[in-house]
Amino acid sequence: MKPENAIEVKDLYKMFKVYQDKGTQLKERLLFWRRNRYEKRQVLEGVSFEIKKGETVGLIGYNGCGKSTTLKLLSKIIYPDSGNIALTGRISCLIELGAGFHPDMSGRENIYINAAIFGLGRKEIERRMPDIIAFSELEPFIDNPVRTYSSGMYMRLAFSVAINVDADILLIDEILAVGDAAFQEKCFARLKEIHESGATILIVSHSREQIEDFCDRCIWIDQGKIRMEGETAKVTEAYMGQALAKISGKKETSAKGEAGDLQAITEDAFEKIPEDREALLARIESGTAAYFAQPQLDACHIELELDEKQINRDKLKTDGFAFPVTIHNLGTELLTSRRRYPIFLSYRIEDAFGNMLIDGRRTDLNGFIGEGESETLEFRIDPTNVCAEGKEYQLTISLVAERLFWFDQAGQNMVKVAL
Amino acid sequence: MKRLKEIWEYREMIISLVQRELRGRYKGSALGFLWTFINPLLQLLVYTLVFSVIMRSGIEKYYIFLFVALVPWLFLNSALIGGANCVTLSKDMVKKIYFPRDVLPIAFTTASFVNMLLTFLVVFAVLLVTGYGLNPVALLYLIPLMAVEYLLVLGITFLTSALSVYFIDLRYIFTILAMAWQFLTPVMYSQDMVEGALKNHPNLMTIWNLNPATPMINAYRQILYYKQIPDLTTLTSALVLGIIVFLIGWFTFGRMQRGFAEEF
């Protein structure tokens, strides 16, 4: 292993057995000793990479491409069929937080057990205990059993332990959605601190923002192989381009479908060179280029028409809760017409404490709604099963554009209704 | 060596798991930890009642004869009954986080071992209170004997816990096996009875003596019931058999643990 490297992975192969018939597995095991029906699925096919000490690297790829498997292999939860993995230093895995928590034990005892699972000794745990508790902001509840915690508190406790063990290598899998926005901010700040202190971090994330914000380098895994490796911006751009081509259903026509051949046209390119618009459009049509841009939802707004705020309960039972929603100025020409980004209306009903009772989406939006134009959708929701009579609820309607990595919301409209 | 070193690094986890196991066992019951002592006492009461009143056996003070062998037997038994499940029960942890998997059987065996030690306090108390008495010199031999038994039980737990991850049905088979094994070990009867019965079958006797539990139980009985220093042959065969079983368990577990996370 090279001294400057923290992680070295060479020719990793991993196959999983996917059992076709789990139900009869027990019986089959008894009857046909070694003849189980399963399909072999090659998850990793010769993955090799090196990560230097102090680097922060992002792993991207579609679901099922082998990112999480790579992380699990690195953390030694599972073993490769062949290939070598070398890591130096203490590893902290933020893969599944809170595994090993015991619900009947207090927060403090669980910190103890959890830190022990990370391989810390008694003295070390005691030394870190105040930091961990302070970070979790759970001081008043720390001696209560963990089963009394809310799921947010639970995750905060778990995250606080994992992030305070002074690891040399941090493996992170999609866990940055911890707690409220303020706590998330704190986690990011702490991760940055850890990064600056020279730790090596490997992140799997679907959030392009997180990856671009954090990572010096990016590795794109596609169907068990490394497709591209390098500077974060370049890799994510190529990835998005390919992802878009996949969504639009067009084959990558040019030379053997290499990633670099597909031109990813950004919004900037579109705006800056208006004279090329036609040419670019033609390329998008033919599938040699993919357009990705922010759907322009800013100009649009939605209108919610509820004539009576007090709704007749009997009428609710027979007709449901019906109201029209009108969308104005959905100026996302390219996107909606080509259906690259699905756009839909989301609705939800919450009680006074913010608990979500009903939610759903309407995808039957009628394509392009130009400037000054509008479209009306009729909504019909049946709240009688979940909403108590006469109580006040909040109805939220918003227009959502599904991006590759996240959702964009616009024109949110909230109304209080008594059902 | 690397494996041993890593287990040592995770000793804190073992300790906390043992504590959890011991404390959790009687959690929620009114008498709590006291059950550790009450349970064997009540058992002893039943045996005394049955064997000295109803089913009189030819052995003098049969309840003590039985009790001093039954307590170490139950520790051994735990490897087959509870020990088989110790990895499966922690599958959420095994699936999600890394730690040396050896920690689980070690923690389970240690907790059962501590439980046996506590029960032995009851055994000593009974021997003293009833005036049966103890031989202090012979008692010293209990220490290495218990250490060897710990090794043996750990080896079996390694085996049963690893195997039952792959073959779920085994845990039911282990229950039957535990019963059969108890009857094939001189727990409820004496070694002399077997030697008498197999006098003309030296080959069968050799096979009989290959049971790793046999010299172990015999040695316990020699120390506590007969108040003698155990024979050297009994002790050596207990040690040799214990080490062999331990090594088989150790290496089997080491090989099989690689696939644990995928099996769940």
Side-chain angles (χ1 to χ4, degrees):
Chain A
M1 192 167 176
K2 292 180 201 154
E4 74 269 22
N5 284 346
I7 303 173
E8 257 177 42
V9 167
K10 196 146 177 49
D11 283 331
L12 225 50
Y13 281 82
K14 181 73 193 171
M15 184 205 73
F16 283 127
K17 294 170 189 168
V18 182
Y19 290 93
Q20 289 172 340
D21 212 346
K22 266 255 166 178
T24 59
Q25 201 195 329
L26 206 133
K27 195 175 80 193
E28 285 195 6
R29 281 224 148 162
L30 272 180
L31 294 178
F32 316 107
W33 188 247
R34 280 210 167 269
R35 267 197 297 152
N36 284 313
R37 269 186 297 165
Y38 58 78
E39 227 174 287
K40 289 178 179 177
R41 209 162 66 81
Q42 195 71 40
V43 186
L44 294 181
E45 290 178 68
V47 167
S48 312
F49 58 84
E50 289 175 7
I51 294 172
K52 290 193 179 63
K53 281 179 186 153
E55 243 185 337
T56 300
V57 176
L59 271 182
I60 55 171
Y62 306 117
N63 289 332
C65 72
K67 307 181 296 276
S68 296
T69 306
T70 310
L71 228 53
K72 277 193 170 172
L73 286 167
L74 285 176
S75 60
K76 289 197 283 181
I77 294 172
I78 54 176
Y79 291 80
D81 298 330
S82 68
N84 285 318
I85 300 171
L87 296 139
T88 45
R90 179 187 279 156
I91 301 153
S92 174
C93 282
L94 284 73
I95 292 184
E96 292 269 0
L97 291 171
F101 269 14
H102 200 282
D104 283 330
M105 293 190 161
S106 73
R108 194 187 299 274
E109 285 170 307
N110 270 304
I111 291 178
Y112 223 100
I113 294 172
N114 220 239
I117 292 173
F118 280 110
L120 263 65
R122 175 174 290 266
K123 277 189 191 140
E124 228 176 335
I125 299 173
E126 263 153 26
R127 192 164 57 77
R128 263 165 243 245
M129 189 62 91
D131 286 346
I132 295 175
I133 297 174
F135 191 88
S136 70
E137 298 168 20
L138 293 169
E139 185 103 55
F141 315 101
I142 204 68
D143 291 308
N144 297 354
V146 167
R147 72 183 136 78
T148 63
Y149 286 18
S150 71
S151 57
M153 286 158 79
Y154 193 86
M155 291 308 282
R156 261 154 62 168
L157 187 67
F159 192 84
S160 306
V161 181
I163 211 158
N164 280 302
V165 295
D166 274 356
D168 303 305
I169 299 173
L170 245 103
L171 305 172
I172 305 174
D173 189 1
E174 293 286 4
I175 44 82
L176 296 172
V178 187
D180 49 53
F183 190 73
Q184 250 184 60
E185 206 50 49
K186 202 166 139 186
C187 292
F188 275 113
R190 176 89 182 108
L191 276 180
K192 285 214 163 114
E193 247 176 68
I194 292 174
H195 172 53
E196 275 153 24
S197 73
T200 313
I201 305 176
L202 187 62
I203 302 178
V204 165
S205 177
H206 278 116
S207 157
R208 189 185 172 195
E209 282 168 354
Q210 282 178 9
I211 294 270
E212 288 185 344
D213 200 26
F214 253 115
C215 303
D216 316 318
R217 207 151 61 82
C218 209
I219 297 171
W220 171 13
I221 297 182
D222 191 25
Q223 291 173 0
K225 290 182 184 123
I226 290 184
R227 175 86 175 249
M228 200 174 165
E229 194 182 339
E231 210 178 293
T232 306
K234 275 190 187 142
V235 178
T236 49
E237 194 161 308
Y239 172 60
M240 299 256 308
Q242 208 254 348
L244 279 163
K246 202 173 175 177
I247 291 169
S248 67
K250 297 239 168 75
K251 291 227 169 67
E252 300 156 60
T253 44
S254 49
K256 290 160 204 157
E258 290 296 322
D261 294 336
L262 186 81
Q263 188 185 349
I265 302 166
T266 60
E267 212 172 345
D268 280 354
F270 222 86
E271 297 305 321
K272 275 178 202 151
I273 357 168
E275 59 269 25
D276 284 350
R277 253 180 110 122
E278 286 307 308
L280 283 176
L281 269 175
R283 292 197 57 198
I284 293 168
E285 277 304 320
S286 71
T288 54
Y291 176 78
F292 64 95
Q294 318 279 323
Q296 297 302 312
L297 299 178
D298 309 342
C300 104
H301 66 275
I302 48 181
E303 224 172 87
L304 199 67
E305 287 154 47
L306 284 174
D307 348 318
E308 33 183 338
K309 296 237 160 145
Q310 184 70 45
I311 288 139
N312 186 327
R313 187 79 180 175
D314 295 328
K315 217 176 142 216
L316 262 186
K317 273 178 195 149
T318 51
D319 301 344
F321 174 35
F323 53 89
V325 173
T326 310
I327 309 142
H328 302 283
N329 290 340
L330 184 69
T332 53
E333 177 188 1
L334 268 167
L335 306 162
T336 38
S337 63
R338 278 169 242 293
R339 288 278 174 214
R340 295 239 156 94
Y341 290 107
I343 290 181
F344 55 86
L345 269 178
S346 104
Y347 58 89
R348 58 177 195 271
I349 293 181
E350 289 160 349
D351 64 15
F353 307 103
N355 297 317
M356 175 117 64
L357 301 174
I358 295 175
D359 72 320
R361 55 169 71 170
R362 284 282 291 270
T363 50
D364 51 343
L365 278 178
N366 208 358
F368 172 66
I369 305 158
E371 210 172 313
E373 288 177 60
S374 57
E375 188 191 337
T376 305
L377 285 181
E378 193 70 32
F379 272 77
R380 197 172 287 275
I381 302 166
D382 180 12
T384 44
N385 290 329
V386 284
C387 300
E389 194 171 346
K391 283 257 167 61
E392 201 170 67
Y393 295 93
Q394 180 162 288
L395 168 70
T396 311
I397 302 275
S398 51
L399 194 63
V400 181
E402 190 177 346
R403 310 285 189 74
L404 277 179
F405 297 118
W406 68 97
F407 290 107
D408 227 21
Q409 263 193 22
Q412 205 177 55
N413 222 315
M414 286 194 253
V415 185
K416 285 220 185 313
V417 283
L419 294 173
Chain B
M1 245 7 245
K2 212 179 138 216
R3 198 167 149 201
L4 278 175
K5 200 180 146 233
E6 205 178 15
I7 293 171
W8 176 246
E9 277 165 11
Y10 276 80
R11 61 192 180 280
E12 202 54 53
M13 184 180 176
I14 298 176
I15 294 167
S16 66
L17 284 177
V18 170
Q19 281 174 346
R20 202 167 93 178
E21 175 82 27
L22 288 174
R23 259 190 262 158
R25 191 166 290 177
Y26 298 106
K27 198 155 193 150
S29 60
L31 294 174
F33 202 68
L34 274 178
W35 276 113
T36 314
F37 304 107
I38 298 170
N39 225 353
L41 265 178
L42 289 176
Q43 265 182 25
L44 184 67
L45 202 75
V46 173
Y47 290 131
T48 317
L49 211 72
V50 172
F51 291 108
S52 39
V53 181
I54 305 167
M55 269 180 68
R56 283 166 195 264
S57 70
I59 297 165
E60 198 190 340
K61 298 244 181 191
Y62 182 74
Y63 64 98
I64 287 178
F65 176 87
L66 179 63
F67 199 48
V68 297
L70 196 65
V71 172
W73 169 259
L74 285 177
F75 171 44
L76 218 146
N77 200 37
S78 74
L80 282 170
I81 306 297
N85 299 331
C86 71
V87 174
T88 326
L89 283 179
S90 305
K91 68 173 167 204
D92 282 331
M93 259 157 67
V94 172
K95 223 164 36 176
K96 291 168 180 171
I97 30 185
Y98 174 76
F99 54 89
R101 302 331 186 186
D102 311 83
V103 159
L104 296 171
I106 292 175
F108 179 85
T109 310
T110 311
S112 305
F113 183 68
V114 172
N115 206 46
M116 179 183 80
L117 292 182
L118 294 171
T119 317
F120 258 105
L121 292 181
V122 179
V123 174
F124 294 148
V126 167
L127 291 176
L128 289 174
V129 168
T130 55
Y132 193 84
L134 291 160
N135 177 352
V137 183
L139 277 188
L140 286 177
Y141 284 85
L142 268 187
I143 297 163
L145 185 62
M146 283 176 170
V148 172
E149 191 185 5
Y150 179 82
L151 215 59
L152 172 70
V153 176
L154 185 57
I156 300 168
T157 310
F158 269 136
L159 262 177
T160 55
S161 62
L163 286 170
S164 57
V165 170
Y166 291 91
F167 313 103
I168 298 157
D169 307 59
L170 272 182
R171 69 179 78 155
Y172 309 111
I173 297 169
F174 287 144
T175 317
I176 304 293
L177 211 66
M179 197 174 76
W181 197 6
Q182 179 172 2
F183 283 112
L184 289 171
T185 306
V187 178
M188 304 168 87
Y189 47 84
S190 70
Q191 172 83 355
D192 302 341
M193 287 164 77
V194 184
E195 275 166 13
L198 296 178
K199 212 187 297 173
N200 301 321
H201 305 280
N203 287 337
L204 278 178
M205 199 60 221
T206 319
I207 295 172
W208 174 266
N209 281 328
L210 279 178
N211 176 359
T214 303
M216 201 82 64
I217 297 296
N218 286 338
Y220 272 106
R221 191 165 275 149
Q222 264 180 320
I223 295 169
L224 294 165
Y225 180 74
Y226 298 107
K227 293 184 267 188
Q228 290 167 354
I229 290 168
D231 314 332
L232 199 62
T233 40
T234 315
L235 280 181
T236 11
S237 59
L239 180 68
V240 171
L241 288 170
I243 287 175
I244 290 171
V245 172
F246 171 75
L247 288 177
I248 294 172
W250 172 260
F251 288 113
T252 312
F253 192 88
R255 262 191 81 85
M256 294 186 103
Q257 59 92 12
R258 295 180 139 243
F260 281 175
E262 285 168 63
E263 228 23 67
F264 296 125

